[in-house]
Amino acid sequence: MTVNDEKIGELRELVEKSKRIVFFGGAGVSTESGIPDFRSKDGLYNQKYDYPPEEILSHTFFMRKTEEFYKFYRDKLDSRKFEPNITHYRLAELEKEGRLSAVVTQNIDGLHQRAGSEKVYELHGSVLRNYCMKCRRSYKASDVFDCEGVPRCSCGGIIKPDVVLYEEPLDEKTVRGAVKAIREADLLIIGGTSLTVYPASSYITYFSGGKMVLVNKSKTQYDNIADLVIYKGLGEVFSNI
């Protein structure tokens, strides 16, 4: 038995004893579904475009070069063709079992809900929700992804994805809910995130009860405050919980 096998066993025991688990996840949750991440060597930020992806995904770029924004957005951020993986499904099962109280995610793909999770705090929004910037009417993902050019509302306003772009603040209600869930958790599992995206990464510091477990393929700046650290892919870990 390897060290990581022993640690997965420890995590399994912690899960069995817990009643208020919160899972805090990042891009690594969905990479096993085939969705590329942003910051790895093969991620979106290391691919070549006419503009840097960080610039394209900014509020300023969206407002000034909306058509260029949508070319990138449709090409790279349509999550509808991807399916949830074992981690998404196991988290949904833990919620149904009454052990998991919430998922806090930095992802915008909506795969947690498709897997069956109900209490999900999407810190950076979702590509599945869209709204008119003028009249606030809601639109489906297909209204944005399955058209050409800049999508517009019947009132003439531009339809914007309900995702948090650079230079935009996080939704206060979502943040409050996420922080409350983390504060009240008896087990915080952090998975598939480098914990470098601020302010989202700072929310784990509100955790003060029970055990903190960190599951990631590489080291993070918060490893030293975790009670248990497992350097493995999430699929391998959650298939054994």
Side-chain angles (χ1 to χ4, degrees):
M1 180 179 289
T2 67
V3 172
N4 272 327
D5 289 335
E6 292 179 1
K7 289 184 175 182
I8 292 173
E10 287 182 49
L11 176 57
R12 188 186 307 117
E13 291 180 9
L14 289 173
V15 168
E16 290 173 354
K17 295 175 182 177
S18 301
K19 296 296 183 183
R20 295 187 310 279
I21 302 169
V22 168
F23 178 82
F24 182 99
V29 179
S30 294
T31 52
E32 293 181 26
S33 291
I35 296 179
D37 64 7
F38 285 81
R39 291 174 173 78
S40 71
K41 63 183 179 67
D42 298 317
L44 293 181
Y45 287 175
N46 290 309
Q47 298 178 27
K48 303 300 182 183
Y49 300 97
D50 292 340
Y51 303 91
E54 299 99 316
E55 181 180 349
I56 297 172
L57 295 173
S58 69
H59 179 81
T60 297
F61 192 93
F62 177 84
M63 298 302 294
R64 293 179 179 174
K65 297 181 182 291
T66 312
E67 191 161 356
E68 286 293 323
F69 169 90
Y70 272 112
K71 286 179 182 178
F72 176 89
Y73 185 79
R74 292 190 180 102
D75 186 37
K76 296 299 180 182
L77 297 179
D78 187 353
S79 64
R80 296 174 301 166
K81 57 188 174 184
F82 299 98
E83 296 297 326
N85 60 55
I86 183 63
T87 302
H88 296 108
Y89 285 118
R90 186 64 186 117
L91 289 168
E93 289 171 359
L94 287 170
E95 183 179 13
K96 289 181 175 62
E97 292 168 9
R99 298 184 185 279
L100 185 137
S101 56
V103 168
V104 180
T105 180
Q106 299 173 80
N107 297 336
I108 59 175
D109 50 50
L111 292 185
H112 283 294
Q113 290 91 331
R114 282 174 55 189
S117 290
E118 295 183 8
K119 198 67 172 180
V120 183
Y121 294 102
E122 297 171 304
L123 295 176
H124 298 145
S126 172
V127 299
L128 303 182
R129 298 189 301 271
N130 305 270
Y131 64 92
C132 171
M133 297 179 72
K134 186 176 180 180
C135 72
R136 308 301 292 185
R137 177 181 173 183
S138 296
Y139 283 88
K140 298 179 295 184
S142 57
D143 295 318
V144 169
F145 286 117
D146 299 339
C147 69
E148 296 182 359
V150 178
R152 289 190 176 273
C153 176
S154 56
C155 77
I158 294 174
I159 299 173
K160 181 184 181 297
D162 189 14
V163 298
V164 180
L165 302 176
Y166 287 108
E167 305 166 348
E168 295 180 344
L170 274 60
D171 178 72
E172 290 185 12
K173 183 178 179 181
T174 302
V175 170
R176 285 197 301 271
V179 168
K180 183 175 186 293
I182 290 170
R183 275 181 170 150
E184 296 176 352
D186 58 5
L187 173 62
L188 177 63
I189 304 174
I190 303 165
T193 173
S194 59
L195 293 171
T196 58
V197 178
Y198 186 85
S201 62
S202 67
Y203 299 147
I204 67 169
T205 61
Y206 287 98
F207 178 68
S208 60
K211 301 289 186 178
M212 177 189 291
V213 179
L214 209 157
V215 183
N216 202 45
K217 289 183 177 180
S218 57
K219 293 182 179 181
T220 79
Q221 60 182 324
Y222 290 98
D223 288 7
N224 63 319
I225 67 170
D227 297 288
L228 179 64
V229 180
I230 304 174
Y231 296 119
K232 281 280 189 182
L234 284 165
E236 186 174 351
V237 173
F238 274 85
S239 62
N240 287 287
I241 292 179

